[in-house]
Amino acid sequence: MHRCRTVCLLLLVALFAALPSIALCAQTDGDAAQNYNTGNAYFDQGEFELAALAYKKALTQGGPRASAEYNLANALLHSGRIGPAVLHYRRALELAPRSADIANNLAAARERIPFAIKPLQPPALERFVTGFVRYTRPVEVFAVAATLWLLLNLALLIVLIGAPGNALRRIGATLCAALVVALLALSPLVIAQAYNEHTLVQMVVLDDPVKAREAPDSGKILFTLREGQTVKIAEYSGSWVRVETKNHFVGWIPAKAGETI
């Protein structure tokens, strides 16, 4: 009985100790919602700079939210700030990878970038795989690949056991084997794209223009990056980062020239 009273007393003490934290969390969530609604009101009035400030406060108080990131990106784009708009569209897309609105507005923002070097258009197959990987989460990519593999093996087994006649079995087995080979051939490309999209750190350039150099601090200028371009970070060295563009140009730029997604 004494132990039961002690446990109940400790639970009550813990509950009262947690009440301030619970109240603070509720207040923070309320402030985030209020700032989000304030941002919407400013946006409707055409006050895009004030809307952006309100959305930033909402994100600071309430944590990452796709809707707040998306609305912030819209406000920044209407304010003519292409780089920050692309950054927050990308962050919104990470949180809601299947959103057509986010993807379309991101594409519209990228159209405004005055590229010093236009990105090369990849082959159709690579564009398909990149799109599939970009708009799905890593666990979903591997789940789809595993499901396809199992289905193909099951189909092959059914053909070998259930198909009447040797000719039909050979045809079915050949088709299934061809699909298995195609899946195996496609797997390295899918894995590579998944690694690039979800593992490598990416940066959106916020300064304009940014000269990429052969070495940190000095060296020959190799190419120029513009505000809003997205690059992959390959290496860090002090206040410099070695980046790679979609065209596979590699050079060093100041780390403060952009912000990671």
Side-chain angles (χ1 to χ4, degrees):
M1 188 71 178
H2 179 69
R3 283 185 181 178
C4 184
R5 288 179 180 175
T6 303
V7 171
C8 290
L9 181 61
L10 289 173
L11 288 174
L12 285 173
V13 171
L15 177 62
F16 281 112
L19 282 177
S21 299
I22 296 171
L24 180 61
C25 289
Q27 180 182 357
T28 301
D29 290 341
D31 291 341
Q34 182 179 355
N35 279 311
Y36 180 79
N37 293 331
T38 300
N40 289 340
Y42 278 132
F43 191 93
D44 292 339
Q45 297 167 14
E47 299 288 348
F48 301 119
E49 292 286 352
L50 293 175
L53 289 174
Y55 291 134
K56 285 179 181 177
K57 288 181 181 178
L59 286 166
T60 301
Q61 294 162 338
R65 288 173 52 201
S67 57
E69 292 282 4
Y70 175 63
N71 287 357
L72 172 57
N74 287 335
L76 291 167
L77 188 61
H78 279 83
S79 303
R81 300 171 63 188
I82 300 174
V86 170
L87 173 67
H88 289 283
Y89 280 133
R90 282 299 308 270
R91 288 177 176 173
L93 202 59
E94 289 290 320
L95 297 169
R98 295 188 183 88
S99 172
D101 289 336
I102 298 174
N104 291 337
N105 283 20
L106 173 60
R110 283 175 168 161
E111 286 294 322
R112 300 191 186 186
I113 301 172
F115 285 106
I117 302 174
K118 282 285 185 183
L120 296 175
Q121 188 78 334
L125 179 60
E126 186 177 343
R127 290 201 304 272
F128 169 77
V129 172
T130 301
F132 168 71
V133 169
R134 181 173 296 161
Y135 301 124
T136 52
R137 294 179 174 86
V139 65
E140 295 170 336
V141 174
F142 291 110
V144 169
T147 302
L148 287 174
W149 177 258
L150 289 174
L151 288 175
L152 285 173
N153 280 279
L154 180 61
L156 180 60
L157 183 63
I158 291 172
V159 167
L160 291 175
I161 294 175
N166 291 332
L168 285 177
R169 288 182 184 177
R170 283 197 299 270
I171 294 172
T174 301
L175 288 174
C176 289
L179 289 173
V180 169
V181 171
L183 181 61
L184 288 173
L186 197 60
S187 296
L189 180 59
V190 173
I191 292 171
Q193 291 297 334
Y195 176 78
N196 287 335
E197 289 293 330
H198 299 294
T199 305
L200 291 179
V201 178
Q202 298 186 60
M203 166 192 279
V204 175
V205 177
L206 300 181
D207 291 347
D208 189 72
V210 176
K211 306 293 185 181
R213 298 183 176 274
E214 196 173 30
D217 295 315
S218 61
K220 182 176 68 175
I221 295 175
L222 301 177
F223 54 92
T224 301
L225 295 171
R226 304 303 299 268
E227 180 187 5
Q229 283 189 257
T230 302
V231 293
K232 297 169 188 172
I233 297 178
E235 186 180 348
Y236 292 86
S237 179
S239 60
W240 288 74
V241 289
R242 188 165 68 91
V243 299
E244 181 180 349
T245 71
K246 289 185 176 180
N247 289 357
H248 306 295
F249 292 112
V250 178
W252 290 88
I253 65 172
K256 63 181 182 181
E259 193 170 335
T260 57
I261 298 170

